[in-house]
Amino acid sequence: MTPSTSVTSSSSSSYDRATANLDLPRRPEVRRPVGRLLVGTTVVNSAAVAVLSAVFGWPAVLDEPAQVALTAFAADQPAIVGAFYAFALMSLLLIPISLGLYLLTARRSPLLAASVAAAGVLAGVFQVLGWIRWAFVVPDLAHTYLDADTDETTRAATAATYELINSYAGGALGEHVGWLLQGAWGLGIAVVLLRSRVGSRALAITGGVLTAVWMPLLLLPDAVPALADGPLGTLSFVAYALWFVWNAALGVALLRHTPA
């Protein structure tokens, strides 16, 4: 064996040993926490949606003027802030979920898995930027707007500020960019799951189909507002809700997974 062959063989063996560590479906210390996070975030998000729908009329209230929205917010502020803060925390947990799924799928599709993980991490960050306004900005706006001592000029400026914050932090960052990145993550995860031994083909395809439905239907109304109403609006909501159920199903699959 020549020196160059020996070096090549040694390098190849080192690479094989290193990449073997990426074949992590067999390692419960990665698989189980990711599975629990997927199930847990789905449960908490569902509870937060139920609270906000009941006490705040969310998400329809987002289309209401400042007078209606801020009055409703002040009426049940502790519950509303708590629910939105829960959303923010669950979005942050998309970061370890994305990194964990990268570790579980990286050996078969390293570049794609890394790109998908990056989309998931960024989706979590941008969604937090949208949610967190309800905990730290809107309470002050509601207090100022509803204060009996506030003059009409200040009240009008407060209403305009609410509309601006709602459009930028909520509509542009949290919803549009956040959904865009979350959709890219959802489609990418479906593909890398198909290429890996994590979960079943049926589960991966279901996730991809659901994402392909909700992603354009949630994003297109920004350009064509009429699409937010009627059957398409309902379909986007149902597909998005089912996609979160799919996340929980993926979590259960990871908790029960026995690699081939």
Side-chain angles (χ1 to χ4, degrees), residues 69-236:
L70 293 177
T71 301
F73 178 87
D76 286 287
Q77 182 173 324
I80 294 168
V81 169
F84 279 117
Y85 204 81
F87 276 155
L89 291 177
M90 295 308 101
S91 293
L92 276 179
L93 290 178
L94 183 56
I95 295 174
I97 288 172
S98 299
L99 296 176
L101 287 172
Y102 163 76
L103 291 174
L104 291 170
T105 58
R107 187 178 187 185
R108 298 292 179 93
S109 307
L111 181 58
L112 177 60
S115 300
V116 172
V121 169
L122 290 173
V125 171
F126 276 97
Q127 288 182 347
V128 168
L129 293 176
W131 298 129
I132 209 66
R133 74 190 189 277
W134 295 101
F136 294 102
V137 178
V138 177
D140 287 340
L141 294 177
H143 175 76
T144 300
Y145 187 87
L146 298 172
D147 191 338
D149 293 331
T150 299
D151 59 73
E152 289 305 313
T153 300
T154 303
R155 184 170 285 113
T158 302
T161 301
Y162 169 79
E163 299 289 351
L164 178 62
I165 292 293
N166 215 33
S167 296
Y168 180 68
L173 295 182
E175 292 179 7
H176 192 86
V177 178
W179 279 337
L180 181 64
L181 290 166
Q182 189 179 48
W185 180 77
L187 291 172
I189 282 296
V191 174
V192 296
L193 288 177
L194 280 172
R195 295 183 177 184
S196 71
R197 295 178 293 173
V198 180
S200 67
R201 289 181 60 84
L203 183 65
I205 292 172
T206 300
V209 170
L210 287 173
T211 306
V213 173
W214 70 253
M215 183 181 177
L217 291 179
L218 287 179
L219 293 175
L220 285 176
D222 291 335
V224 187
L227 293 177
D229 301 321
L232 289 179
T234 302
L235 178 60
S236 66

